[in-house]
Amino acid sequence: MKKKIISDIRLFKSESQNEFGDYITDSFGDKKLNAIVTRLVMKLRENEFSLGEFDHLYINFTTCDIAENIKLSVKEDRYHPWYRYCNVHVEKDLFQKLGSPETWNDIIHWIGTILATHFASDDFDKAHILACINQAVVQSESMLVKFKEKVGTKRKAVIFLRFLDSCKFYPLLRVYDTEDNLLFETDLPQTVMLDYLGDIQVSAKRVTVKPRKNAFTAKNNPLVFEY
């Protein structure tokens, strides 16, 4: 089966299991923490990091005992085969504070440990995984991830994405010449959805960004910039 590029990581917590041994989970995390995790995924995705046959990883922090503290579930939801759970044992004092700013470094550490332990490969080793995570953490809201580009005969237009702590995208448009010299740069409107970023047209003096063709963008006009 073809490997899938990572799409999402979600955080859960659990203090108990049901009679079938399944964890009873609750999601957690405010906008800031969700933004941090999203940036980790964006940078890994830009580098085409794969989880294997699925692309969503659900991390469950639990006080229940787990051998070696980490266990990747082999159980697959046959109706939703695109995700897996990874259960992580944490002590009660950390569990009770999960989601608070003082636990963010612990959560990031565990994410890195899980990915490096279970998903590192010859093509994408532990060092590469941790470098992506470090880049996302250090650069924070200023981190750029290439979203799409259009290469013309004389110009190249690239749209980069930044992801803010408000959980909004803040796209950046750049235009380069054939030698990769930056000719033009402008911020694009902040957005939750990326529907207004469809096809790109670029010429020697103008770049146009057309919206995607769907019901949400029926009344949206293209963005046109001259430089």
Side-chain angles (χ1 to χ4, degrees):
M1 184 178 292
K2 184 179 179 180
K3 290 186 176 182
K4 296 183 177 180
I5 304 302
I6 190 171
S7 180
D8 195 11
I9 291 176
R10 300 186 186 182
L11 304 177
F12 297 86
K13 59 183 180 179
S14 173
E15 289 185 282
S16 60
Q17 297 168 279
N18 62 22
E19 63 270 29
F20 304 106
D22 297 321
Y23 292 92
I24 301 171
T25 61
D26 291 313
S27 61
F28 72 92
D30 59 8
K31 278 190 173 182
K32 179 70 178 290
L33 178 56
N34 288 334
I36 291 171
V37 176
T38 297
R39 286 193 285 265
L40 303 184
V41 173
M42 288 172 64
K43 184 52 63 175
L44 288 164
R45 184 174 178 81
E46 182 186 42
N47 286 267
E48 299 187 347
F49 173 73
S50 175
L51 296 169
E53 297 178 355
F54 58 97
D55 54 14
H56 287 59
L57 181 63
Y58 294 173
I59 299 176
N60 175 43
F61 295 92
T62 179
T63 53
C64 300
D65 290 334
I66 298 176
E68 299 181 358
N69 292 329
I70 302 176
K71 185 175 183 180
L72 181 65
S73 176
V74 296
K75 184 180 293 187
E76 176 184 320
D77 184 335
R78 64 176 180 173
Y79 299 108
H80 307 94
W82 37 264
Y83 77 87
R84 296 286 192 284
Y85 269 98
C86 186
N87 301 300
V88 180
H89 171 76
V90 294
E91 299 299 331
K92 285 188 177 180
D93 58 340
L94 176 59
F95 183 89
Q96 292 170 353
K97 296 182 289 186
L98 278 174
S100 64
E102 61 187 296
T103 66
W104 290 350
N105 285 337
D106 294 288
I107 291 169
I108 294 167
H109 167 76
W110 278 115
I111 291 173
T113 299
I114 291 167
L115 297 181
T117 301
H118 291 286
F119 303 104
S121 65
D122 292 338
D123 295 329
F124 210 117
D125 62 15
K126 176 181 178 180
H128 196 178
I129 292 170
L130 297 182
C132 287
I133 291 175
N134 183 66
Q135 186 176 354
V137 171
V138 171
Q139 295 182 1
S140 189
E141 291 184 304
S142 64
M143 184 190 75
L144 297 179
V145 170
K146 183 185 288 188
F147 178 57
K148 60 175 55 182
E149 71 176 21
K150 176 69 173 182
V151 179
T153 56
K154 296 183 178 180
R155 300 287 185 264
K156 177 176 69 175
V158 184
I159 295 177
F160 296 93
L161 297 180
R162 293 163 292 192
F163 197 73
L164 305 179
D165 291 339
S166 62
C167 289
K168 288 185 177 181
F169 293 103
Y170 191 17
L172 175 69
L173 172 66
R174 288 177 173 172
V175 179
Y176 302 87
D177 64 16
T178 56
E179 296 180 351
D180 278 339
N181 296 306
L182 180 62
L183 304 177
F184 176 76
E185 178 181 80
T186 187
D187 295 321
L188 299 179
Q190 295 181 24
T191 181
V192 175
M193 305 294 290
L194 297 171
D195 290 322
Y196 82 87
L197 301 175
D199 292 337
I200 306 173
Q201 295 178 342
V202 61
S203 65
K205 293 296 181 181
R206 176 183 298 176
V207 59
T208 301
V209 181
K210 295 183 175 181
R212 296 173 180 171
K213 295 181 179 180
N214 58 41
F216 300 105
T217 62
K219 296 183 179 180
N220 287 19
N221 294 319
L223 301 176
V224 181
F225 305 94
E226 296 185 352
Y227 55 92

